[in-house]
Amino acid sequence: MKKLGLVGGMGPVSTIDYYQRLVAGFQKKYPAACPPIIIDSLDVFKLLKLEEANQRTQLIKILQASLTNLAAAGAQYAALTANTPHMIFSELAAVSPIPLISILDPVCQAIHQKGQKKVALLGTKMTMELPFYSQKLAAAGIEAVIPQPEQITVIQQIIATELERGIVKPESKQTLLKIIANLTQEYNIEGVILGCTELPLILKQADCQLTIYDTVELHINQLLKQMFN
């Protein structure tokens, strides 16, 4: 059984969600046991500032140090518990002392399995505006529809001032659903990527007729497969 290392705290609420879902998924196979997991918790607000300033070198340095901590504690593979830091995933994977499992790969696989070709991408401002998600999807023949600038501002505000602090407001859910409805009407999208690990706290499949791609759930399934291997 491989020991998993999580670079956590990005943010704390989603790290807790990761842990709880990993335990639940593990116990479907081993009901009387718990998964071997190590968490190194970082400061989400410090990381967000580096991401927004595109301080890639400093971001890599901090995340590499976290991965080194995890490896020293016995982790055999690792994951970042956030979508936005995947902006430097390839560079980080190249210097990581242990294998790093991407959140983007299982997302692309899930969309491909559904046979969908056009999906909306919701997430932090950086996740929506930088090309790392769109390019990954395009390589798989999938078009990523990015919200309009004013919609990006609203989504970023909900994530940064509410969800990162564990605050879930019904009115914010309705705002996000309205944005999805607008994107559906304008672009005829087939699904929606919850490209921020806090977004599943506020949006569920039951809230929307389109396919909702919960990046946390998809990532966890991939991490458990690795653990069981």
Side-chain angles (χ1 to χ4, degrees), residues 3-200:
K3 184 176 288 188
L4 168 63
L6 296 177
V7 181
M10 308 185 294
V13 178
S14 62
T15 302
I16 293 169
D17 191 30
Y18 259 84
Y19 181 75
Q20 290 177 328
R21 294 207 220 183
L22 281 163
V23 171
F26 184 89
Q27 290 181 338
K28 288 179 181 178
K29 187 168 184 176
Y30 300 103
C34 287
I37 299 173
I38 303 166
I39 301 173
D40 189 38
S41 188
L42 304 180
D43 181 354
V44 62
F45 299 106
K46 180 179 180 179
L47 294 174
L48 284 172
K49 288 178 181 178
L50 291 174
E51 290 162 355
E52 290 167 4
N54 202 25
Q55 295 291 320
R56 301 173 72 91
T57 301
Q58 186 65 13
L59 189 60
I60 292 169
K61 182 179 178 181
I62 291 172
L63 296 178
Q64 182 184 8
S66 180
L67 290 166
T68 300
N69 290 342
L70 292 170
Q76 295 165 281
Y77 70 114
L80 308 175
T81 58
N83 283 267
T84 306
H86 283 73
M87 61 189 277
I88 46 91
F89 181 86
S90 59
E91 299 100 309
L92 187 61
V95 296
S96 175
I98 50 179
L100 196 55
I101 307 301
S102 171
I103 202 170
L104 273 67
D105 291 332
V107 173
C108 288
Q109 291 166 9
I111 298 170
H112 179 72
Q113 288 171 0
K114 279 280 187 180
Q116 296 184 351
K117 297 296 183 183
K118 185 184 290 188
V119 296
L121 173 62
L122 306 187
T124 64
K125 183 176 186 290
M126 299 300 292
T127 294
M128 290 184 284
E129 292 184 344
L130 290 177
F132 68 96
Y133 238 113
S134 298
Q135 289 175 350
K136 183 76 173 182
L137 292 167
I142 303 162
E143 180 184 351
V145 173
I146 308 302
Q148 296 298 317
E150 63 274 13
Q151 295 171 327
I152 289 175
T153 299
V154 171
I155 296 167
Q156 172 67 20
Q157 184 176 11
I158 291 171
I159 291 171
T161 65
E162 298 172 25
L163 300 180
E164 291 287 3
R165 292 172 166 82
I167 301 168
V168 178
K169 296 182 178 180
E171 57 268 31
S172 294
K173 172 185 274 194
Q174 292 308 312
T175 297
L176 293 172
L177 290 173
K178 185 176 180 180
I179 289 173
I180 292 171
N182 290 341
L183 293 173
T184 304
Q185 184 176 12
E186 186 170 354
Y187 298 103
N188 196 29
I189 57 174
E190 302 167 279
V192 180
I193 299 172
L194 302 185
C196 169
T197 52
E198 276 77 33
L199 283 173

